[in-house]
Amino acid sequence: IKLMNSDYDKPINLGSDYMVTMNELQRLALSFDGKDKGFCKIKHIKGPEGVRGRNSENTLIKAVLDWEPKITLEDGLKRTYNWIKEQMDNERKKGNKQDFVTSQVVKQDAKELNDFSFDI
C-alpha cells in the first residue's frame, strides 16, 4: 500500500530477503496441501548450475519507501497459494472448466524489456 500511495514509478523488488533454493521452494509449496517431496520428483540434468538460490535484494525499497517486508516467505507464499486455490474453487463452482494447471508464453516487446535505465 505504501508503494501504491507513493509517486515512485520504477521497477522495485518487493519480497523476502530470505535465501531459498528452488528445491526448498518446491517442498514449501507442496507442503501447503500436505504433499511430500515424493509427490513431484526433481530431475537434475547436466548443464550449467546457475545460482543456488533466490531472494529479494531490498536495498532500493528501503531507501525509497523506508520500508521492508514483515511477512515471512512461508507465510506470504501460503497466503498467496490459498488465495489462488480459493479463486480456482470459486470458478469451478460457477461451472468454469478452464484448465488452471497449464500456462501460455506471452510475447513481450523487446523495447519494454530493455527499458530499465533510470536513476533512483
Side-chain angles (χ1 to χ4, degrees):
I1 293 174
K2 194 169 186 176
L3 179 59
M4 292 186 323
N5 289 333
S6 76
D7 60 356
Y8 192 76
D9 64 351
K10 306 288 189 277
I12 195 163
N13 287 335
L14 177 65
S16 172
D17 58 2
Y18 174 77
M19 176 67 75
V20 62
T21 68
M22 296 300 101
N23 291 354
E24 291 169 336
L25 191 59
Q26 176 205 24
R27 283 191 286 277
L28 180 60
L30 289 173
S31 75
F32 301 145
D33 257 347
K35 296 177 176 80
D36 65 14
K37 63 183 176 184
F39 175 80
C40 185
K41 302 276 187 218
I42 297 173
K43 181 181 177 184
H44 293 282
I45 58 174
K46 284 187 173 189
E49 291 203 18
V51 296
R52 299 215 179 257
R54 298 276 184 210
N55 64 325
S56 178
E57 207 307 322
N58 292 334
T59 304
L60 182 59
I61 199 164
K62 289 175 187 176
V64 170
L65 298 178
D66 190 29
W67 181 88
E68 62 184 309
K70 303 289 187 263
I71 297 173
T72 65
L73 174 65
E74 181 176 1
D75 186 35
L77 189 59
K78 188 170 188 172
R79 290 181 193 192
T80 303
Y81 176 90
N82 288 333
W83 181 84
I84 291 169
K85 186 174 180 180
E86 180 183 342
Q87 302 310 305
M88 290 169 47
D89 290 345
N90 289 341
E91 287 300 312
R92 287 190 177 114
K93 285 177 188 172
K94 291 191 277 185
N96 188 338
K97 305 272 190 229
Q98 183 176 348
D99 176 8
F100 292 112
V101 296
T102 58
S103 60
Q104 179 180 359
V105 175
V106 177
K107 185 177 179 185
Q108 292 181 311
D109 182 84
K111 183 183 179 310
E112 293 174 11
L113 295 174
N114 294 324
D115 190 22
F116 290 115
S117 57
F118 57 85
D119 296 321
I120 302 176

mmCIF file of all heavy atoms in Angstrom, residues 76-92 100:
data_model
loop_
_atom_site.group_PDB
_atom_site.id
_atom_site.type_symbol
_atom_site.label_atom_id
_atom_site.label_comp_id
_atom_site.label_asym_id
_atom_site.label_seq_id
_atom_site.Cartn_x
_atom_site.Cartn_y
_atom_site.Cartn_z
ATOM 1 N N GLY A 76 3.766 -15.613 3.419
ATOM 2 C CA GLY A 76 3.307 -14.923 2.215
ATOM 3 C C GLY A 76 2.963 -15.888 1.096
ATOM 4 O O GLY A 76 1.948 -15.734 0.414
ATOM 5 N N LEU A 77 3.804 -16.911 0.907
ATOM 6 C CA LEU A 77 3.541 -17.904 -0.127
ATOM 7 C C LEU A 77 2.288 -18.708 0.194
ATOM 8 O O LEU A 77 1.477 -18.989 -0.686
ATOM 9 C CB LEU A 77 4.754 -18.826 -0.290
ATOM 10 C CG LEU A 77 4.733 -19.784 -1.466
ATOM 11 C CD1 LEU A 77 4.608 -19.036 -2.787
ATOM 12 C CD2 LEU A 77 5.998 -20.643 -1.459
ATOM 13 N N LYS A 78 2.104 -19.048 1.474
ATOM 14 C CA LYS A 78 0.909 -19.802 1.870
ATOM 15 C C LYS A 78 -0.363 -18.966 1.665
ATOM 16 O O LYS A 78 -1.373 -19.466 1.169
ATOM 17 C CB LYS A 78 1.005 -20.256 3.325
ATOM 18 C CG LYS A 78 -0.108 -21.200 3.721
ATOM 19 C CD LYS A 78 0.130 -21.825 5.069
ATOM 20 C CE LYS A 78 -0.904 -22.902 5.312
ATOM 21 N NZ LYS A 78 -0.605 -23.671 6.509
ATOM 22 N N ARG A 79 -0.313 -17.693 2.024
ATOM 23 C CA ARG A 79 -1.468 -16.808 1.798
ATOM 24 C C ARG A 79 -1.794 -16.724 0.306
ATOM 25 O O ARG A 79 -2.960 -16.781 -0.090
ATOM 26 C CB ARG A 79 -1.176 -15.402 2.313
ATOM 27 C CG ARG A 79 -1.110 -15.265 3.798
ATOM 28 C CD ARG A 79 -0.835 -13.817 4.153
ATOM 29 N NE ARG A 79 -0.457 -13.664 5.541
ATOM 30 C CZ ARG A 79 -0.396 -12.490 6.152
ATOM 31 N NH1 ARG A 79 -0.686 -11.374 5.495
ATOM 32 N NH2 ARG A 79 -0.044 -12.415 7.408
ATOM 33 N N THR A 80 -0.760 -16.574 -0.515
ATOM 34 C CA THR A 80 -0.948 -16.492 -1.970
ATOM 35 C C THR A 80 -1.502 -17.796 -2.510
ATOM 36 O O THR A 80 -2.449 -17.794 -3.312
ATOM 37 C CB THR A 80 0.384 -16.139 -2.661
ATOM 38 O OG1 THR A 80 0.872 -14.911 -2.107
ATOM 39 C CG2 THR A 80 0.206 -15.999 -4.160
ATOM 40 N N TYR A 81 -0.942 -18.913 -2.085
ATOM 41 C CA TYR A 81 -1.406 -20.230 -2.513
ATOM 42 C C TYR A 81 -2.886 -20.413 -2.173
ATOM 43 O O TYR A 81 -3.685 -20.820 -3.026
ATOM 44 C CB TYR A 81 -0.569 -21.313 -1.821
ATOM 45 C CG TYR A 81 -1.026 -22.721 -2.126
ATOM 46 C CD1 TYR A 81 -0.511 -23.410 -3.213
ATOM 47 C CD2 TYR A 81 -1.975 -23.364 -1.330
ATOM 48 C CE1 TYR A 81 -0.919 -24.697 -3.507
ATOM 49 C CE2 TYR A 81 -2.399 -24.641 -1.615
ATOM 50 C CZ TYR A 81 -1.863 -25.301 -2.699
ATOM 51 O OH TYR A 81 -2.284 -26.570 -2.981
ATOM 52 N N ASN A 82 -3.259 -20.100 -0.941
ATOM 53 C CA ASN A 82 -4.655 -20.267 -0.515
ATOM 54 C C ASN A 82 -5.598 -19.347 -1.281
ATOM 55 O O ASN A 82 -6.720 -19.727 -1.624
ATOM 56 C CB ASN A 82 -4.790 -20.049 0.990
ATOM 57 C CG ASN A 82 -4.196 -21.187 1.786
ATOM 58 O OD1 ASN A 82 -4.127 -22.328 1.327
ATOM 59 N ND2 ASN A 82 -3.740 -20.892 2.986
ATOM 60 N N TRP A 83 -5.160 -18.108 -1.579
ATOM 61 C CA TRP A 83 -5.992 -17.184 -2.335
ATOM 62 C C TRP A 83 -6.221 -17.711 -3.753
ATOM 63 O O TRP A 83 -7.344 -17.706 -4.251
ATOM 64 C CB TRP A 83 -5.354 -15.799 -2.383
ATOM 65 C CG TRP A 83 -6.184 -14.804 -3.123
ATOM 66 C CD1 TRP A 83 -7.219 -14.069 -2.629
ATOM 67 C CD2 TRP A 83 -6.083 -14.471 -4.516
ATOM 68 N NE1 TRP A 83 -7.760 -13.277 -3.622
ATOM 69 C CE2 TRP A 83 -7.079 -13.517 -4.797
ATOM 70 C CE3 TRP A 83 -5.250 -14.880 -5.545
ATOM 71 C CZ2 TRP A 83 -7.262 -12.959 -6.048
ATOM 72 C CZ3 TRP A 83 -5.427 -14.328 -6.809
ATOM 73 C CH2 TRP A 83 -6.417 -13.378 -7.047
ATOM 74 N N ILE A 84 -5.149 -18.171 -4.403
ATOM 75 C CA ILE A 84 -5.286 -18.702 -5.761
ATOM 76 C C ILE A 84 -6.182 -19.937 -5.762
ATOM 77 O O ILE A 84 -7.069 -20.071 -6.611
ATOM 78 C CB ILE A 84 -3.901 -19.032 -6.359
ATOM 79 C CG1 ILE A 84 -3.131 -17.734 -6.619
ATOM 80 C CG2 ILE A 84 -4.034 -19.848 -7.644
ATOM 81 C CD1 ILE A 84 -1.668 -17.940 -6.965
ATOM 82 N N LYS A 85 -6.001 -20.815 -4.803
ATOM 83 C CA LYS A 85 -6.829 -22.021 -4.712
ATOM 84 C C LYS A 85 -8.301 -21.650 -4.515
ATOM 85 O O LYS A 85 -9.187 -22.246 -5.134
ATOM 86 C CB LYS A 85 -6.340 -22.905 -3.567
ATOM 87 C CG LYS A 85 -7.038 -24.232 -3.505
ATOM 88 C CD LYS A 85 -6.428 -25.133 -2.459
ATOM 89 C CE LYS A 85 -7.192 -26.437 -2.486
ATOM 90 N NZ LYS A 85 -6.693 -27.377 -1.520
ATOM 91 N N GLU A 86 -8.561 -20.654 -3.688
ATOM 92 C CA GLU A 86 -9.940 -20.191 -3.466
ATOM 93 C C GLU A 86 -10.548 -19.640 -4.759
ATOM 94 O O GLU A 86 -11.713 -19.919 -5.072
ATOM 95 C CB GLU A 86 -9.954 -19.116 -2.378
ATOM 96 C CG GLU A 86 -11.329 -18.568 -2.075
ATOM 97 C CD GLU A 86 -11.300 -17.447 -1.036
ATOM 98 O OE1 GLU A 86 -10.299 -17.324 -0.310
ATOM 99 O OE2 GLU A 86 -12.285 -16.691 -0.975
ATOM 100 N N GLN A 87 -9.765 -18.862 -5.524
ATOM 101 C CA GLN A 87 -10.263 -18.317 -6.788
ATOM 102 C C GLN A 87 -10.596 -19.442 -7.771
ATOM 103 O O GLN A 87 -11.625 -19.402 -8.458
ATOM 104 C CB GLN A 87 -9.232 -17.368 -7.419
ATOM 105 C CG GLN A 87 -8.823 -16.199 -6.548
ATOM 106 C CD GLN A 87 -9.992 -15.442 -5.964
ATOM 107 O OE1 GLN A 87 -10.873 -14.977 -6.678
ATOM 108 N NE2 GLN A 87 -10.012 -15.314 -4.646
ATOM 109 N N MET A 88 -9.730 -20.440 -7.845
ATOM 110 C CA MET A 88 -9.963 -21.575 -8.748
ATOM 111 C C MET A 88 -11.204 -22.355 -8.316
ATOM 112 O O MET A 88 -12.031 -22.730 -9.149
ATOM 113 C CB MET A 88 -8.730 -22.489 -8.764
ATOM 114 C CG MET A 88 -7.546 -21.849 -9.463
ATOM 115 S SD MET A 88 -5.969 -22.722 -9.259
ATOM 116 C CE MET A 88 -6.391 -24.401 -9.584
ATOM 117 N N ASP A 89 -11.354 -22.589 -7.012
ATOM 118 C CA ASP A 89 -12.534 -23.301 -6.496
ATOM 119 C C ASP A 89 -13.812 -22.532 -6.805
ATOM 120 O O ASP A 89 -14.823 -23.117 -7.210
ATOM 121 C CB ASP A 89 -12.413 -23.527 -4.991
ATOM 122 C CG ASP A 89 -11.345 -24.548 -4.614
ATOM 123 O OD1 ASP A 89 -10.889 -25.305 -5.510
ATOM 124 O OD2 ASP A 89 -10.954 -24.578 -3.430
ATOM 125 N N ASN A 90 -13.773 -21.210 -6.631
ATOM 126 C CA ASN A 90 -14.950 -20.386 -6.937
ATOM 127 C C ASN A 90 -15.316 -20.474 -8.417
ATOM 128 O O ASN A 90 -16.497 -20.562 -8.762
ATOM 129 C CB ASN A 90 -14.708 -18.923 -6.552
ATOM 130 C CG ASN A 90 -14.670 -18.718 -5.056
ATOM 131 O OD1 ASN A 90 -15.153 -19.541 -4.286
ATOM 132 N ND2 ASN A 90 -14.067 -17.627 -4.627
ATOM 133 N N GLU A 91 -14.311 -20.436 -9.287
ATOM 134 C CA GLU A 91 -14.567 -20.542 -10.721
ATOM 135 C C GLU A 91 -15.155 -21.913 -11.075
ATOM 136 O O GLU A 91 -16.063 -22.011 -11.897
ATOM 137 C CB GLU A 91 -13.286 -20.286 -11.520
ATOM 138 C CG GLU A 91 -12.858 -18.835 -11.544
ATOM 139 C CD GLU A 91 -13.908 -17.935 -12.172
ATOM 140 O OE1 GLU A 91 -14.417 -18.259 -13.269
ATOM 141 O OE2 GLU A 91 -14.238 -16.898 -11.561
ATOM 142 N N ARG A 92 -14.642 -22.946 -10.481
ATOM 143 C CA ARG A 92 -15.167 -24.300 -10.755
ATOM 144 C C ARG A 92 -16.611 -24.431 -10.272
ATOM 145 O O ARG A 92 -17.420 -25.080 -10.928
ATOM 146 C CB ARG A 92 -14.263 -25.345 -10.112
ATOM 147 C CG ARG A 92 -12.952 -25.482 -10.875
ATOM 148 C CD ARG A 92 -12.134 -26.666 -10.402
ATOM 149 N NE ARG A 92 -10.929 -26.781 -11.202
ATOM 150 C CZ ARG A 92 -9.696 -26.614 -10.733
ATOM 151 N NH1 ARG A 92 -9.507 -26.342 -9.456
ATOM 152 N NH2 ARG A 92 -8.658 -26.744 -11.524
ATOM 153 N N PHE A 100 -6.597 -24.841 -15.244
ATOM 154 C CA PHE A 100 -5.836 -23.891 -14.443
ATOM 155 C C PHE A 100 -4.407 -24.355 -14.153
ATOM 156 O O PHE A 100 -3.687 -23.697 -13.426
ATOM 157 C CB PHE A 100 -6.535 -23.638 -13.107
ATOM 158 C CG PHE A 100 -7.844 -22.905 -13.237
ATOM 159 C CD1 PHE A 100 -9.031 -23.551 -12.959
ATOM 160 C CD2 PHE A 100 -7.880 -21.584 -13.636
ATOM 161 C CE1 PHE A 100 -10.237 -22.883 -13.065
ATOM 162 C CE2 PHE A 100 -9.080 -20.907 -13.748
ATOM 163 C CZ PHE A 100 -10.259 -21.564 -13.461
#
